[in-house]
Amino acid sequence: MAAAPNVTVREVLYHFANARSAYERFIAMGSHPEQARNAVALLLWLDQAHVKAISHFHSLSPPAVSLVAAEANSILECLRADRLVNLPAIPLISALCADGGDVDPRFFAFNQDLVVRGVADILDGVGTLIFDDRLFVLLRRYQTGLVGRLPELEAPYTWRPITVPEDCRSMFVTFSRGMPIEREEIFDYFRQKWGDCIVRVLMEKTTGGQPPMYGRIIFKSEAFVSLVLNGEELVKISIRNRQIWLRKYIPRPQNI
């Protein structure tokens, strides 16, 4: 969403009330918060194609909400798959997008970079407001008349990327013993799938010609970390038939 002149944070929250409602319904059905955020961002990205997936979400029954969550997760898993996979049918998401025609599951497999960058932009942009629980507490207090106009809600909204510390947009990666992998291979893997999403890759410093056993990937945005993990603590991917494991980077003394 490109902010119009003089649009306030409160007006943005009102505009995306349906998205916030969808997020809260996913959470109520037991979705991991990260999965819920990614699923709503995916539906919002589909909305940009004038299919209005979010606007139809409120009419879904609780079991249907759970099925949409499962379909969204299957799409997100496809986006990080190391090779093209046959995505299962997504009848409910297709139904939500009926205004714009059927959504072919193969679209996501063949356009991973387009989808990931679009979803990441939403997570880094309006998503910082939509998924801010504290802002919605303030908004509801304002709506019920418990408080007057609040400076935080009346502040102008301007979309601009928020630069977060590298630690917040990094992943720790470990390699299988005896199956070394090069820094450039990690770069190429993500670049070919998701485009220009990595700042740099750091590898363990070794001696005696020993291959590194771990490394650190620094992404351009925290959203890419969220899309890799999608609610999981540890994710395995395969690069040229060599498995690597990724998790959220937690700074420790002497870590690279």
Side-chain angles (χ1 to χ4, degrees):
M1 175 183 177
N6 302 319
V7 172
T8 66
V9 169
R10 174 173 53 82
E11 289 170 322
V12 173
L13 296 180
Y14 281 146
H15 181 78
F16 288 99
N18 285 337
R20 176 67 190 194
S21 175
Y23 171 70
E24 292 178 349
R25 292 195 71 188
F26 280 134
I27 294 295
M29 297 304 296
S31 292
H32 187 285
E34 188 169 66
Q35 291 179 334
R37 290 192 294 269
N38 291 345
V40 171
L42 175 66
L43 294 177
L44 281 173
W45 182 79
L46 289 169
D47 264 16
Q48 294 177 343
H50 308 292
V51 297
K52 305 304 179 189
I54 285 289
S55 63
H56 297 312
F57 194 89
H58 71 279
S59 63
L60 296 180
S61 67
V65 171
S66 294
L67 290 175
V68 170
E71 290 181 9
N73 283 334
S74 70
I75 292 172
L76 292 163
E77 289 176 7
C78 166
L79 295 177
R80 72 185 184 201
D82 55 295
R83 61 185 182 281
L84 291 178
V85 296
N86 292 323
L87 188 68
I90 48 173
L92 281 174
I93 289 180
S94 291
L96 287 174
C97 300
D99 290 349
D102 291 335
V103 178
D104 188 337
R106 292 173 297 180
F107 170 83
F108 299 101
F110 286 97
N111 295 277
Q112 292 175 326
D113 57 339
L114 176 68
V115 179
V116 166
R117 289 199 304 270
V119 173
D121 283 346
I122 290 171
L123 290 170
D124 288 331
V126 294
T128 60
L129 302 186
I130 296 169
F131 308 124
D132 189 323
D133 295 338
R134 184 178 56 82
L135 280 180
F136 273 88
V137 169
L138 294 178
L139 180 64
R140 283 159 186 162
R141 291 179 65 195
Y142 169 79
Q143 290 173 316
T144 55
L146 293 175
V147 297
R149 289 179 175 265
L150 298 168
E152 195 165 1
L153 296 180
E154 301 307 318
Y157 171 71
T158 54
W159 187 94
R160 58 182 180 276
I162 299 174
T163 301
V164 300
E166 287 188 349
D167 288 352
C168 297
R169 46 191 170 91
S170 293
M171 301 198 74
F172 187 76
V173 55
T174 55
F175 314 121
S176 298
R177 187 175 298 277
M179 302 183 70
I181 192 164
E182 298 294 331
R183 182 197 321 264
E184 291 73 18
E185 291 177 297
I186 297 174
F187 256 115
D188 290 343
Y189 175 85
F190 282 100
R191 186 184 294 115
Q192 291 171 10
K193 293 171 60 60
W194 290 5
D196 186 20
C197 63
I198 291 179
V199 176
R200 61 183 180 276
V201 177
L202 306 176
M203 306 289 272
E204 177 194 17
K205 295 179 175 62
T206 63
T207 59
Q210 294 297 314
M213 294 300 298
Y214 62 86
R216 177 182 173 189
I217 304 173
I218 303 169
F219 288 93
K220 291 193 170 183
S221 160
E222 190 175 8
F224 292 115
V225 176
S226 175
L227 291 169
V228 171
L229 292 175
N230 193 37
E232 303 290 338
E233 290 187 6
L234 185 69
V235 167
K236 179 179 69 174
I237 63 174
S238 178
I239 299 178
R240 297 184 180 179
N241 298 316
R242 287 163 293 175
Q243 295 176 341
I244 68 173
W245 286 262
L246 302 99
R247 61 173 171 81
K248 180 75 174 175
Y249 176 75
I250 302 174
R252 292 191 178 95
Q254 299 181 344
N255 269 3
I256 64 174

